[in-house]
Amino acid sequence: MPYPYHKITEEDMAHLIRAVSRDRVCIGDEIPTEYYHDEMPEYGCYQPDIYIEAISKEEISAVMAYAYEHNIPVTARGAGTGLAGGATCRYGGIMLSLMRMNHIEDADTQNLTITAESGALLTDVADKAAAAGLFYPPDPGERTASIGGTVITNAGGMRAVRYGVTRDYVRCVEAVLPDGSIVEFSSNVAKNTTGYDIKDLIIGSEGTLCIVTKVTLRLIPAPNSTRTLVMTFSSIKPCIETVPKLLQTPYVPTAIEFLERELTDIVDRRLNKPFPVQEGSDFLIVMYDGSSVDEVDAACEMACEIAMEMNAIDVKICDSPERIGSVWSARAAILEGMKADSDAQEECDVVVPRARIADFVRAAQDIGRKYKIRVIVCGHAGDGNIHTEMLRNNLSDEEWKSNTRSCLKELYAKSKELGGQLSGEHGIGSGRLEFLEDFVGSRMYQLYQSVKLAFDDRLILNPGKIIEYK
Amino acid sequence: MPYPYHKITEEDMAHLIRAVSRDRVCIGDEIPTEYYHDEMPEYGCYQPDIYIEAISKEEISAVMAYAYEHNIPVTARGAGTGLAGGATCRYGGIMLSLMRMNHIEDADTQNLTITAESGALLTDVADKAAAAGLFYPPDPGERTASIGGTVITNAGGMRAVRYGVTRDYVRCVEAVLPDGSIVEFSSNVAKNTTGYDIKDLIIGSEGTLCIVTKVTLRLIPAPNSTRTLVMTFSSIKPCIETVPKLLQTPYVPTAIEFLERELTDIVDRRLNKPFPVQEGSDFLIVMYDGSSVDEVDAACEMACEIAMEMNAIDVKICDSPERIGSVWSARAAILEGMKADSDAQEECDVVVPRARIADFVRAAQDIGRKYKIRVIVCGHAGDGNIHTEMLRNNLSDEEWKSNTRSCLKELYAKSKELGGQLSGEHGIGSGRLEFLEDFVGSRMYQLYQSVKLAFDDRLILNPGKIIEYK
């Protein structure tokens, strides 16, 4: 326990219920078990003492002020779709759901922005932008994520190659600080050098510094043409080596995803989602979009030439919505397919310099073999964010636990050696916490702790995530 | 004085000289007066006690460790081209120049990045990228700025409309902390969710949190076509109202600059740089670039149609290097022209939501009249970053000081009312420090102070910039 937190009493419960409303509060066993964990229950299941669904920043402010005064831990939660064990009450206390705060304003077509409360779903925000002819590019696999959750975890996704990650679209964040203060970081402006850039520090801070209540996001004109190519190779080497070549043309791809046959087979077998390409062992899915058909055609033509020079077996150009849909729906089903194929999984989310992707992929396969873990490499090859999926095979509980841990340690060491990072888009949460200090070094870790204290001097916000006080 | 700093003694001097080398140290009156100030001497001239030109991060580490132990203030300095009084020794102590650390590595054509030491000039970094067929987009007016200076101030510039600001291109920062520790924030990766995003907090922190020694910057494929349009209007209203319309097309402009005739006349008269358009009173300079001539032509055609709908008197399309050069060289000469035209100037660098540009411009003109200050509005209309230039006219010293202060206070209040910010790209430094707390509110200011302390618990790094301890 990092801190002698106050254990919630009947009196606290009564006060908190008065601050909100009894019909938006669950206590003890009333709390559905789905709120004990996120999409990776492997990273921890913890029962909150009290679960509160807030409907306004003022309510959140009141809850925080009380928690601050009484030393009660608080964990904010969106849709619970995280993959790092982030939105879990590791030290009990209050779970504060933002899912009822889901209002989305109409897109601002003058400023090219959209403003939404944290609990709005990413998919609804993107749809509302699209209805105004505008485009919200960030596209992490999970579109039922809350928009606030995507900001607080700096969600990445497929389209980061061309468009960047969530951070690149956040104009303004409204938040509640641990002491209950309501603040705004930046405003609806395109540039800002007014004081420290707290907004960017908040983005990706996984609910440990403040609670995000509303965000204003930058939109861009919608591209009006898109194509998806599937490049098929007979081995991994030319497949991965094609990636930097695609990035060196004047046409920036929207996405470059790497998949092995083993993974497409799992998705086909378990979820009946056949991958529309039958030959070959290694695939790149490459997407281009742009403001004109000509531009996208020229990009595709150049990409095809590169693939052929790299000895691709074939390149399929998908331009019908159905065909494009079948490719991306197979890609999107990977996590679900793996869950169906193995009773336990672990995942490594490193990011490496794009030039080192092939080195990492080779090393990951060797490390997996060494620890008898079925390792499948896939992910966002275009931005160096490689997901190394680990499936249990026939390992005993003990072997699985010990071997995945050793395997992860080696994978992280390899990433560091190649100039990479511990996590590219899923974050630290609880799941990667034990590896962080080693990875970033003790001075940097100490800096993280100082930053945490600058916001949360009583350590009550989402304790036991990102950093730990021993 | 925020802190009882230690006054440098002979013994300290001797130690610091040993840590570096005598021929790279100036003491007392040996220090050229140009190092007392930046490009805005109005914001303060202060003599350093000792001026040191470092040649390595290890030297900087040694200097910082000594300063930390002995409580001596340290201000890092690049090319001294800032406009906020940032790189000045407000409390004396050590001025640490990074200008000898100017090595630039060859562009990394696999990762599309370039790595340079802090003292390298922006123009040299951009040239070296261009030599590899790549493009470094940030383009603040001052291309002789040091690259480290552009990162630590998050320099903006003209091309931010399409390409964003310096922040958007920083992959990795090597820095020395106040206690002398050498650290790296992030690495050469396209995405990162490993711990807190300290890198973005550092960017724009104006040398108050750490000393940046090396940066790795993202490059993009060079656009191979560019056009500049000059749109001429007979009044400010249709001119400014054209801006959001240009931003709503599928073609994102690279730059949209706004100029009044009064300013082009000053530049013509004082610097003999005639603006190539003689009629009209208000101008937009609009630049498009892209990966093909067709794309840029289509963008220009749409922009011309919009200008005509908005009753522009004329639109000139510049496509020869000479013609493009004459437009941009007049634009680039504004600061110099103003300095030649008035023995004193002040500047307001607010940024407002793009939809509110016209409101701010009108208000600025009214406020200027109220305080008898000659106010000329210009700047980066495409991103809402309006530079309100103030010239002295015939005001007495006292009137000028008091009136500019009152004028600035009203301009900042107006910006806040419109949802804008205090500074869009020039930063706070010394020059805007007195206005910051009022603007952001006391809770936010307190958060800035906590963040500062998290890095610099002895308050030795560039004291009296951004925040002040009273």
Side-chain angles (χ1 to χ4, degrees):
Chain A
M1 197 90 143
Y3 203 86
Y5 291 117
H6 170 65
K7 182 76 190 160
I8 294 186
T9 62
E10 290 294 319
E11 196 191 326
D12 298 322
M13 298 278 187
H15 182 95
L16 289 166
I17 286 168
R18 275 196 305 275
V20 289
S21 165
R22 182 62 181 99
D23 63 331
R24 290 185 277 108
V25 172
C26 299
I27 294 171
D29 293 342
E30 291 171 14
I31 304 170
T33 53
E34 64 177 285
Y35 299 133
Y36 293 14
H37 59 81
D38 68 4
E39 286 286 322
M40 284 295 276
E42 289 83 354
Y43 295 153
C45 289
Y46 308 98
Q47 183 175 358
D49 293 313
I50 179 169
Y51 169 85
I52 296 172
E53 291 181 348
I55 56 169
S56 71
K57 60 178 185 286
E58 290 78 14
E59 276 190 2
I60 295 175
S61 169
V63 168
M64 286 313 305
Y66 189 85
Y68 186 76
E69 192 188 337
H70 295 87
N71 208 27
I72 301 167
V74 180
T75 297
R77 182 175 171 110
T81 56
L83 294 170
T88 59
C89 287
R90 191 157 170 183
Y91 293 99
I94 302 167
M95 173 166 278
L96 193 65
S97 168
L98 286 105
M99 294 309 284
R100 289 195 190 221
M101 293 174 60
N102 59 7
H103 179 68
I104 309 172
E105 296 176 16
D106 285 337
D108 176 341
T109 55
Q110 292 265 307
N111 288 306
L112 304 192
T113 53
I114 192 162
T115 297
E117 287 183 310
S118 275
L121 301 190
L122 167 61
T123 189
D124 294 337
V125 172
D127 286 352
K128 201 146 184 176
L134 293 165
F135 181 45
Y136 180 65
D139 184 31
E142 190 51 85
R143 292 181 64 83
T144 59
S146 69
I147 197 77
T150 65
V151 168
I152 211 67
T153 59
N154 188 24
M158 324 247 189
R159 296 196 284 234
V161 186
R162 182 178 174 105
Y163 295 113
V165 294
T166 300
R167 172 184 310 289
D168 301 306
Y169 293 86
V170 181
R171 277 279 168 80
C172 177
V173 172
E174 178 192 85
V176 177
L177 297 178
D179 66 1
S181 308
I182 299 170
V183 291
E184 272 192 41
F185 300 115
S186 199
S187 58
N188 194 348
V189 290
K191 282 170 162 178
N192 187 8
T193 55
T194 307
Y196 294 122
D197 178 25
I198 310 275
K199 183 196 71 173
D200 274 288
L201 179 63
I202 291 305
I203 299 168
S205 65
E206 305 187 34
T208 64
L209 304 182
C210 64
I211 296 178
V212 171
T213 50
K214 197 165 76 175
V215 295
T216 297
L217 305 164
R218 181 167 76 92
L219 304 173
I220 61 173
N224 45 30
S225 182
T226 184
R227 296 265 188 289
T228 291
L229 311 178
V230 181
M231 302 178 175
T232 312
F233 297 86
S234 58
S235 71
I236 191 168
K237 193 166 181 288
C239 178
I240 291 291
E241 286 174 357
T242 300
V243 177
K245 299 201 183 297
L246 292 171
L247 293 167
Q248 283 167 34
T249 79
Y251 305 101
V252 182
T254 299
I256 307 180
E257 295 289 308
F258 165 62
L259 283 180
E260 289 181 279
R261 160 71 64 199
E262 187 176 356
L263 213 42
T264 61
D265 283 351
I266 289 176
V267 170
D268 185 5
R269 190 169 67 238
R270 295 288 181 177
L271 306 174
N272 196 24
K273 291 191 175 174
F275 196 62
V277 174
Q278 290 312 316
E279 52 191 342
S281 62
D282 298 85
F283 312 107
L284 291 180
I285 313 178
V286 184
M287 181 196 268
Y288 287 98
D289 54 29
S291 52
S292 76
V293 175
D294 288 352
E295 183 192 340
V296 174
D297 280 347
C300 288
E301 199 176 311
M302 195 172 274
C304 287
E305 275 171 30
I306 289 169
M308 287 305 152
E309 278 166 24
M310 295 302 290
N311 294 318
I313 301 174
D314 190 26
V315 181
K316 284 215 167 8
I317 302 182
C318 311
D319 48 9
S320 74
E322 297 71 33
R323 192 106 189 171
I324 293 176
S326 72
V327 172
W328 288 107
S329 103
R331 167 63 187 91
I334 285 177
L335 185 66
E336 198 190 341
M338 284 200 336
K339 284 191 175 181
D341 206 57
S342 170
D343 64 346
Q345 51 273 320
E346 202 12 299
E347 189 227 39
C348 167
D349 168 53
V350 303
V351 59
V352 297
R354 295 198 268 213
R356 309 310 295 274
I357 296 171
D359 297 329
F360 184 81
V361 170
R362 268 193 301 274
Q365 290 171 327
D366 290 345
I367 293 166
R369 266 191 294 276
K370 178 173 163 191
Y371 292 104
K372 298 179 202 147
I373 288 177
R374 195 170 142 213
V375 153
I376 306 176
V377 183
C378 69
H380 313 311
D383 53 33
N385 183 201
I386 309 297
H387 294 166
T388 308
E389 313 292 352
M390 305 174 191
L391 302 181
R392 179 165 163 152
N393 278 352
N394 301 316
L395 295 179
S396 69
D397 281 0
E398 206 170 304
E399 276 180 313
W400 168 248
K401 204 174 160 190
S402 138
N403 289 16
T404 47
R405 197 166 183 284
S406 305
C407 192
L408 283 170
K409 280 189 101 161
E410 288 204 27
L411 290 170
Y412 293 141
K414 190 71 196 177
S415 172
K416 194 167 177 179
E417 179 197 325
L418 297 173
Q421 293 289 331
L422 179 55
S423 174
E425 60 179 16
H426 293 167
I428 302 301
S430 314
R432 297 177 185 88
L433 184 143
E434 64 171 316
F435 303 104
L436 183 63
E437 184 169 1
D438 231 33
F439 194 93
V440 298
S442 61
R443 185 65 185 90
M444 187 65 77
Y445 198 75
Q446 190 192 328
L447 201 50
Y448 290 166
Q449 291 179 318
S450 304
V451 165
K452 165 75 173 173
L453 283 169
F455 284 78
D456 184 16
D457 59 337
R458 299 195 181 166
L459 304 174
I460 58 168
L461 259 187
N462 206 8
K465 312 301 162 60
I466 300 186
I467 52 169
E468 188 65 284
Y469 287 78
K470 288 153 199 161
Chain B
M1 198 89 146
Y3 204 86
Y5 291 116
H6 171 66
K7 182 76 190 161
I8 293 185
T9 63
E10 289 294 319
E11 196 192 327
D12 298 324
M13 299 276 189
H15 182 95
L16 289 166
I17 287 169
R18 275 196 306 275
V20 291
S21 165
R22 182 63 181 98
D23 63 332
R24 291 185 278 109
V25 172
C26 299
I27 293 172
D29 293 341
E30 291 171 13
I31 304 170
T33 54
E34 65 176 284
Y35 299 133
Y36 293 13
H37 59 81
D38 67 5
E39 286 286 322
M40 284 296 275
E42 289 82 355
Y43 296 153
C45 288
Y46 308 98
Q47 182 174 2
D49 294 311
I50 180 169
Y51 168 86
I52 297 172
E53 292 182 347
I55 56 167
S56 70
K57 60 179 185 284
E58 289 78 14
E59 276 191 359
I60 295 176
S61 169
V63 169
M64 286 314 305
Y66 188 84
Y68 186 77
E69 192 189 337
H70 295 86
N71 209 24
I72 301 168
V74 181
T75 297
R77 183 174 169 110
T81 56
L83 295 170
T88 59
C89 288
R90 190 156 172 182
Y91 293 98
I94 302 167
M95 175 166 277
L96 193 65
S97 168
L98 285 106
M99 294 309 284
R100 289 195 190 223
M101 291 173 63
N102 60 6
H103 179 67
I104 309 173
E105 296 177 17
D106 285 337
D108 176 342
T109 55
Q110 291 266 307
N111 288 307
L112 304 191
T113 52
I114 194 162
T115 297
E117 287 183 311
S118 275
L121 300 189
L122 167 61
T123 189
D124 294 336
V125 172
D127 286 352
K128 200 145 185 177
L134 293 166
F135 181 45
Y136 181 63
D139 184 31
E142 189 51 85
R143 294 181 64 82
T144 60
S146 69
I147 196 75
T150 66
V151 168
I152 210 67
T153 59
N154 189 24
M158 323 245 190
R159 295 197 284 233
V161 187
R162 181 179 174 106
Y163 295 113
V165 294
T166 300
R167 175 185 307 288
D168 301 306
Y169 293 86
V170 181
R171 276 279 166 80
C172 178
V173 172
E174 178 192 84
V176 177
L177 297 179
D179 65 1
S181 308
I182 299 170
V183 290
E184 270 192 42
F185 300 114
S186 199
S187 58
N188 194 348
V189 290
K191 282 170 161 175
N192 187 8
T193 55
T194 306
Y196 294 122
D197 178 25
I198 310 277
K199 182 196 72 175
D200 274 287
L201 179 63
I202 291 304
I203 299 168
S205 65
E206 304 186 33
T208 64
L209 304 182
C210 64
I211 296 177
V212 171
T213 50
K214 195 165 77 174
V215 294
T216 297
L217 305 165
R218 180 167 77 91
L219 304 173
I220 61 173
N224 45 31
S225 183
T226 185
R227 296 264 187 291
T228 291
L229 311 178
V230 180
M231 300 178 177
T232 313
F233 298 84
S234 58
S235 71
I236 191 169
K237 194 167 180 286
C239 179
I240 291 291
E241 286 175 358
T242 300
V243 177
K245 298 199 184 297
L246 292 171
L247 294 168
Q248 282 166 35
T249 78
Y251 304 102
V252 183
T254 299
I256 307 180
E257 294 290 308
F258 165 63
L259 283 181
E260 288 183 279
R261 160 71 63 198
E262 185 174 359
L263 213 42
T264 60
D265 283 351
I266 289 175
V267 171
D268 185 6
R269 190 169 67 239
R270 295 287 181 177
L271 306 175
N272 196 24
K273 291 192 175 172
F275 196 63
V277 173
Q278 291 312 316
E279 52 191 341
S281 62
D282 298 85
F283 312 107
L284 291 182
I285 313 178
V286 184
M287 179 194 269
Y288 287 97
D289 54 29
S291 52
S292 77
V293 176
D294 289 351
E295 183 191 339
V296 174
D297 280 347
C300 288
E301 198 175 311
M302 196 173 273
C304 288
E305 277 171 30
I306 289 170
M308 288 306 153
E309 278 166 24
M310 296 303 291
N311 295 318
I313 302 174
D314 190 26
V315 181
K316 285 214 164 13
I317 301 183
C318 310
D319 48 10
S320 74
E322 298 71 32
R323 191 106 191 173
I324 292 175
S326 71
V327 172
W328 288 107
S329 103
R331 167 63 187 92
I334 285 178
L335 186 65
E336 198 189 340
M338 284 203 333
K339 283 190 176 182
D341 206 56
S342 170
D343 65 344
Q345 50 274 321
E346 199 18 294
E347 189 227 38
C348 166
D349 167 54
V350 303
V351 58
V352 297
R354 296 197 269 215
R356 310 309 296 273
I357 296 171
D359 298 328
F360 184 82
V361 170
R362 268 193 300 272
Q365 291 170 327
D366 291 345
I367 294 167
R369 265 190 296 275
K370 177 173 164 191
Y371 292 103
K372 296 179 205 148
I373 290 177
R374 193 169 144 216
V375 153
I376 306 177
V377 182
C378 69
H380 313 311
D383 53 33
N385 183 200
I386 309 298
H387 295 167
T388 308
E389 312 293 351
M390 306 174 190
L391 301 181
R392 178 165 165 153
N393 278 353
N394 302 317
L395 295 179
S396 69
D397 281 0
E398 206 171 305
E399 275 180 313
W400 168 247
K401 204 174 161 192
S402 137
N403 290 16
T404 48
R405 197 167 181 282
S406 304
C407 192
L408 283 170
K409 280 189 101 163
E410 288 203 29
L411 290 170
Y412 294 142
K414 190 70 195 176
S415 172
K416 194 168 176 180
E417 180 196 324
L418 297 173
Q421 293 289 331
L422 179 55
S423 174
E425 60 180 16
H426 294 167
I428 301 303
S430 313
R432 294 176 188 89
L433 184 143
E434 64 170 315
F435 302 104
L436 184 63
E437 184 170 1
D438 232 32
F439 194 93
V440 299
S442 60
R443 184 65 185 89
M444 186 68 76
Y445 198 76
Q446 190 191 328
L447 200 51
Y448 290 166
Q449 291 179 318
S450 304
V451 165
K452 164 77 172 171
L453 283 169
F455 284 78
D456 184 15
D457 58 338
R458 299 196 181 166
L459 304 174
I460 59 169
L461 259 187
N462 205 9
K465 312 301 164 59
I466 300 186
I467 52 170
E468 187 65 285
Y469 286 79
K470 288 153 199 161

